[in-house]
Amino acid sequence: MASKDSLKTYRDKRDFGRTSEPAGSEKKSSEQPRFVIQKHDARQLHYDFRLEVDGVLKSWAVPKGPSTDPRDKRLAVPTEDHPMEYADFEGIIPEGEYGGGTVLVWDTGTYRNLREEKEGDGASMEQALEQGTVEVWLEGKKLEGGYALIRTGKPDKSGKERWLLIKKRDEKADARRNPTSTEPESVLTGRTLEEIASAG
Ligand code: MN
């Protein structure tokens, strides 16, 4: 779905007269592709893991959030592409709107496509997504090192795919860290979800 209206689903789901989320302009690419992880206190708390690919943010909802322990396999359910501007969105989505709840930028930075760098592989991000095997090196403030996103099994009855987000075994792996609980605050503003929610 790398077509030019890959943001249509995103826009169709939202009423920009009500939500302060960005409508997003056309696709735009950064010199170094970005990633962002947003903590989203919606009906169910989850983390939205987003990777810039071809000018949009490819997105997965990760209920438990990322781990720094390679033994953890975190469920990641794909969601609609988001515009690049979303990477800086932090605030409140009004109740009753799609995704209603509080959003915090939990981590952000740049990433590298590890498969593209691998001899004998060289897969682009588009190919990696198509194949269901993404391997990236994150350079974030809280998360660093290799992460894999692996599509697993078949889509369920509603067509939803299941992927797994797994820390790769490298020098940045650390089973003792637990940054989702020890570093809950925004990397943009230092605020907690509660502080964003009460600021209105
Ligand atoms: Mn979300």
Side-chain angles (χ1 to χ4, degrees):
M1 287 263 290
S3 64
K4 59 172 180 273
D5 59 355
S6 71
L7 294 174
K8 185 178 187 311
T9 308
Y10 171 86
R11 295 197 180 99
D12 286 350
K13 285 176 183 282
R14 292 170 175 80
D15 177 351
F16 296 104
R18 290 179 167 278
T19 182
S20 56
E21 294 165 287
S25 48
E26 70 253 49
K27 303 197 287 182
K28 47 174 104 172
S29 298
S30 318
E31 202 148 312
Q32 272 228 290
R34 278 187 75 180
F35 83 94
V36 63
I37 300 170
Q38 280 154 317
K39 189 176 181 182
H40 185 182
D41 188 14
R43 256 181 313 175
Q44 282 197 307
L45 181 75
H46 61 274
Y47 293 76
D48 289 296
F49 187 92
R50 311 189 198 278
L51 294 173
E52 174 183 349
V53 179
D54 191 27
V56 298
L57 292 167
K58 293 286 168 186
S59 300
W60 293 258
V62 183
K64 289 187 172 174
S67 173
T68 54
D69 183 346
R71 292 170 301 185
D72 289 336
K73 294 176 168 63
R74 295 288 162 86
L75 174 67
V77 178
T79 56
E80 75 276 14
D81 294 351
H82 280 50
M84 281 309 299
E85 288 87 343
Y86 209 92
D88 300 312
F89 175 73
E90 189 165 279
I92 301 170
I93 302 169
E95 215 170 310
E97 297 305 302
Y98 179 72
T102 312
V103 177
L104 167 158
V105 178
W106 185 77
D107 199 13
T108 191
T110 58
Y111 78 89
R112 294 179 0 239
N113 173 7
L114 291 174
R115 290 193 56 191
E116 196 153 45
E117 298 172 2
K118 230 184 268 176
E119 212 176 317
D121 185 349
S124 68
M125 284 300 288
E126 288 83 351
Q127 289 169 323
L129 288 163
E130 186 73 33
Q131 294 163 1
T133 307
V134 171
E135 292 175 39
V136 290
W137 183 276
L138 304 182
E139 295 281 355
K141 294 195 172 80
K142 294 174 185 169
L143 298 187
E144 288 183 294
Y147 277 83
L149 270 159
I150 309 291
R151 187 168 54 219
T152 171
K154 295 206 173 88
D156 68 12
K157 282 184 196 140
S158 62
K160 257 189 196 160
E161 291 178 352
R162 294 167 62 90
W163 293 55
L164 296 172
L165 175 65
I166 307 166
K167 178 75 194 75
K168 291 175 72 75
R169 293 179 188 277
D170 55 37
E171 70 272 22
K172 302 295 184 186
D174 187 346
R176 290 160 308 176
R177 271 187 79 201
N178 190 1
T180 51
S181 58
T182 60
E183 300 169 63
E185 68 287 339
S186 163
V187 293
L188 291 189
T189 62
R191 295 181 297 174
T192 61
L193 274 176
E194 292 70 27
E195 286 168 331
I196 295 168
S198 62

